[in-house]
Amino acid sequence: MRQEEIWDVGAAGGYDTPGTGMFAPDVLGPAVETLAELADGGEALEFAIGTGRVAVPLAAKGVAVTGIELSRPMVERLRTKADEEAIPVVLGDMATATAPGAGRFQLVYLVFNAISLLQTQSEQVDCFRNAARHLAPGGRFVIELWVPEVHKLPPDQKAVVCRSGPGGISLDTYDVLTQHVVSHHFDFVEGERTAQLFQSPHRYIWPSELDLMAQLAGFALESRHADWQGGRFTADSGSHVSVYRLPCGEDHVPAGGAAG
């Protein structure tokens, strides 16, 4: 299924959970604070901006934010919070689309595993190259991404339960040969005997593979932490926030040539 079909009106309408989950202050607050610091007074570009979960509070802190988003319904949801003048958005693929002002951004960022929505390794490399095309010399590309949990797979099984509770259950099914995983989210509706199902396909990326993608696009790893609070990244970490940086000045050559 194409990403445009997955992130439809229904998905956009149920995406926001104000004050809870990934919208909880203790989850969202540190991410926004860190990104504001990394923008360092410059402009920021969010790939897969979605409904503006991060962009809206980041803009409220005085950072000029632009977005790229594939799903029109997600952008329409964002427009209930901020207009085009406040947060401009380009409809398109984050691996190839060009935002106004390419080459001047100080920060490009991708949060909540969004790079894994690109289904091939080549598309993921193109995403790094597109970030490089949008950044000014010395600019940063920030990625928040989960660490694949294939070590949790029981013998001869392909699924890992990642959420279980009164409200529903989620499990990930892995194809380790192709590095593909499908997240299946079953949400129980009170008073009904059926569950609502949302499925999202991903291509998972190991941290070392991500670093190689960055090198191919001209980036160097500046830092990697286990979370937005700056926790130490270890072999037991379930996710990471990785900051990549382009060279400064004359050493910076936009990957893949100049933006069109």
Side-chain angles (χ1 to χ4, degrees):
M1 182 179 288
R2 299 165 61 222
Q3 290 294 333
E4 300 98 310
E5 297 171 342
I6 295 170
W7 301 101
D8 58 11
V9 173
Y15 190 80
D16 291 358
T17 56
T20 63
M22 59 182 172
F23 285 81
D26 61 336
V27 174
L28 186 55
V32 172
E33 290 291 337
T34 299
L35 291 170
E37 292 177 9
L38 292 172
D40 195 24
E43 297 181 44
L45 173 64
E46 181 172 359
F47 285 174
I49 194 171
T51 66
R53 179 181 73 96
V54 173
V56 170
L58 185 60
K61 291 187 70 67
V63 178
V65 182
T66 299
I68 292 176
E69 174 56 51
L70 192 63
S71 167
R72 187 179 296 274
M74 297 289 274
V75 177
E76 290 173 352
R77 185 79 175 182
L78 166 59
R79 287 289 163 251
T80 66
K81 311 169 190 176
D83 61 23
E84 177 69 18
E85 183 176 353
I87 301 179
V89 177
V90 173
L91 278 169
D93 189 328
M94 60 183 163
T96 57
T98 300
R104 74 170 184 234
F105 292 96
Q106 287 298 317
L107 177 70
V108 176
Y109 64 94
L110 254 176
V111 297
F112 209 66
N113 309 321
I115 192 171
S116 68
L117 294 171
L118 297 170
Q119 296 295 292
T120 67
Q121 186 183 68
S122 61
E123 288 176 308
Q124 292 167 348
V125 172
D126 285 344
C127 184
F128 270 91
R129 288 176 172 152
N130 200 26
R133 283 192 289 268
H134 281 86
L135 286 167
R140 294 180 171 96
F141 184 30
V142 182
I143 294 179
E144 178 188 20
L145 187 62
W146 98 102
V147 178
E149 296 185 310
V150 294
H151 61 286
K152 293 184 178 180
L153 285 172
D156 301 321
Q157 295 188 35
K158 297 182 178 181
V160 172
V161 175
C162 50
R163 174 181 67 115
S164 179
I169 185 170
S170 298
L171 54 90
D172 291 337
T173 53
Y174 283 83
D175 181 340
V176 296
L177 183 63
T178 62
Q179 289 185 211
H180 282 115
V181 58
V182 178
S183 294
H184 312 262
H185 304 281
F186 299 89
D187 292 307
F188 306 137
V189 180
E190 188 175 355
E192 297 185 13
R193 298 177 63 120
T194 58
Q196 294 179 342
L197 171 62
F198 178 77
Q199 294 175 297
S200 178
H202 304 261
R203 182 188 182 272
Y204 62 82
I205 315 168
W206 298 101
S208 58
E209 182 185 10
L210 200 71
D211 293 347
L212 182 56
M213 292 179 182
Q215 291 179 37
L216 292 172
F219 289 98
L221 179 66
E222 183 175 68
S223 67
R224 172 168 289 137
H225 294 100
D227 50 43
W228 291 104
Q229 291 91 341
R232 182 169 169 264
F233 181 74
T234 71
D236 297 321
S237 298
S239 62
H240 59 95
V241 175
S242 296
V243 180
Y244 298 99
R245 194 164 192 179
L246 289 177
C248 295
E250 296 179 356
D251 294 331
H252 171 52
V253 178

